[in-house]
Amino acid sequence: MELNEFLKHWDVAREELAYICDCSLTTVNHWFSQGEHRRFPSQKHKQKLALAHHIWTTIETEPEYLQTLREMYIKKHLKR
């Protein structure tokens, strides 16, 4: 997924983009810079953006039943 497309859907900070893409904040800042220091997200970064988009979209549209199942799972694992 292209960075601009991802940002049309999700309001995330640059620090969050770095976490999502498993890269440094410096790398993310280069994506937004102009001129000779500008870089572009790699295929690996775009794949991670697509994965985050898919997960977040799924969470937003999942039925209440699945939300309850997730909450049950989290509660059980927090007790360990």
Side-chain angles (χ1 to χ4, degrees):
M1 174 174 236
E2 295 296 330
L3 177 60
N4 289 339
E5 185 66 23
F6 183 83
L7 294 175
K8 285 180 188 175
H9 293 277
W10 308 106
D11 181 23
V12 294
R14 290 184 185 190
E15 292 84 358
E16 293 168 320
L17 280 173
Y19 182 82
I20 292 166
C21 293
D22 191 25
C23 65
S24 69
L25 178 57
T26 302
T27 297
V28 171
N29 285 333
H30 281 291
W31 298 343
F32 293 94
S33 68
Q34 301 295 319
E36 67 181 81
H37 298 291
R38 183 159 190 194
R39 297 183 194 155
F40 297 93
S42 69
Q43 281 304 117
K44 178 191 95 167
H45 299 132
K46 292 177 185 180
Q47 288 172 343
K48 291 187 181 227
L49 291 173
L51 179 60
H53 176 72
H54 172 75
I55 290 169
W56 291 349
T57 301
T58 301
I59 288 171
E60 284 188 337
T61 60
E62 73 183 0
E64 187 176 330
Y65 169 77
L66 292 179
Q67 293 172 6
T68 302
L69 284 178
R70 179 180 292 108
E71 290 168 11
M72 290 169 56
Y73 175 83
I74 291 170
K75 284 179 187 177
K76 284 190 174 255
H77 281 80
L78 288 177
K79 290 181 182 179
R80 291 183 179 178

